[in-house]
Amino acid sequence: MSRVNFDTLLEAGCHFGHLKRKWNPAMAPYIFMERNGIHIIDLNKTVAKVEEAAEALKQIAKSGKKILFVATKKQAKQVVAEKAASVNMPYVIERWPGGMLTNFPTIRKAVKKMATIDKLTNDGTYSNLSKREVLQISRQRAKLEKNLGSIADLTRLPSALFVVDVLKENIAVREANRLGIPVFAIVDTNSDPSNIDFVIPANDDATKSVEVILDACCAAMAEGLEERKAEKVDMEAAKKKATKARMDKAEEDAINASKAAAFMSKDEEEA
C-alpha cells in the first residue's frame, strides 16, 4: 500500500512551487506546468520519490543507524522536532553549527561539557560559587541545550541527513556531501537537486506540506524500528533455544557416559 497519495499531497499544497523567475532549471524534470507565474510541481513524481525515500529511510532505521533531521526555518522547526522525536532521531532546528559533521569531535566536546555542568550541579560542586558565577554557568548551559540538546544522544556521525529547504541548509548539505553521507531532502523549484541523493520535489515553505511528507517518512522509519525490535526478540529466542538444546545434549551425553561406565564396571566384576 502507498505511504502517501496524490490527493493528500494536493490538499497539503505540496504542488505549489516558487515564482517562475526564481526557478532553478535543474528542477525542470519535476515541474508539471506554470500557472499565474508560479511553477506547479508534478505530484505523481512526488509520490514516487516519497515512496523511494521512505523505503531507504526504513532500511537505515532498521539497521539501528541514526538519521539527522535539519530544518532551521520557522515554518518547519516545530514539525520536524516533533516528528524526529517520535522516532527517537536527532535533529537541528536552531542555527546549524558550522563544522558539525566535518568537525564532529569538537561538537561532541560541547555536548560533554553540557553533561559535565549537569553532573557538577547535582553533586553540589557549584554550591560554593557566587551568584554571578552560577548565573554565567546557567546561561552557558541554556545556550548549549538550545543549540545541541537535541543531538545529545548522537555519539557518532549520522548515517543520513534529512533536510527541509536545501538552499537555507546549504552548509549542512555541503558537509554531508564532503563526508559521503547520503542526503534526503524536500526540494522546492528554486533549489538545486544535483547534490541531493534522495530528492522529494515539494513545497518546502508550507508547514502542512512538510508535515505530510514527514508523516510518511517517519512512519516508514517507525516500521523499520519495530522490525528491528522483532528480529532482536526472535534472535534472543533462537539463542535460548540453541543453549537449551546444547544443555540437553550435554546432559544426555553425561547420562550415557554414566551408563556406559556402570556397564563396563559390571563386566569387569563378572570377569
Side-chain angles (χ1 to χ4, degrees), residues 3 84 217 271:
R3 298 182 190 280
C217 292

Side-chain angles (χ1 to χ4, degrees), residues 213-225:
I213 291 167
L214 281 176
D215 274 341
C217 292
C218 289
M221 290 162 63
E223 282 176 25
L225 291 169

Side-chain angles (χ1 to χ4, degrees), residues 45-60:
K45 291 187 177 177
T46 304
V47 170
K49 288 294 185 180
V50 168
E51 290 292 331
E52 184 186 335
E55 191 55 39
L57 287 166
K58 177 183 174 179
Q59 295 308 318
I60 293 172

Side-chain angles (χ1 to χ4, degrees), residues 1 5 54-55 58 71 103 107 125-126 137-139 149 159 165 173 193 210 233 243 260 269:
M1 195 178 82
N5 59 57
E55 191 55 39
K58 177 183 174 179
N103 194 16
I107 298 297
T125 304
Y126 290 150
I137 291 167
S138 299
R139 283 175 178 166
S159 294
D165 194 339
V173 172
V210 174
V233 171
T243 304
E269 284 175 6

Side-chain angles (χ1 to χ4, degrees), residues 227 229-240:
E227 285 181 16
K229 201 182 291 182
E231 282 180 5
K232 272 189 174 181
V233 171
D234 290 343
M235 281 176 68
E236 286 296 321
K239 203 180 285 183
K240 283 180 182 176

Side-chain angles (χ1 to χ4, degrees), residues 75-89:
Q75 306 96 302
K77 285 166 75 167
Q78 195 57 41
V79 175
V80 168
E82 288 172 8
K83 300 299 177 187
S86 71
V87 286
N88 197 28
M89 293 294 172

Side-chain angles (χ1 to χ4, degrees), residues 97-111:
M100 180 170 166
L101 299 178
T102 51
N103 194 16
F104 189 69
T106 302
I107 298 297
R108 282 302 304 161
K109 281 180 187 175
V111 172

Side-chain angles (χ1 to χ4, degrees), residues 245-261:
R246 280 199 304 271
M247 287 173 70
D248 290 346
K249 182 73 168 61
E251 191 176 336
E252 187 182 335
D253 290 345
I255 291 169
N256 290 337
S258 177
K259 284 180 179 178

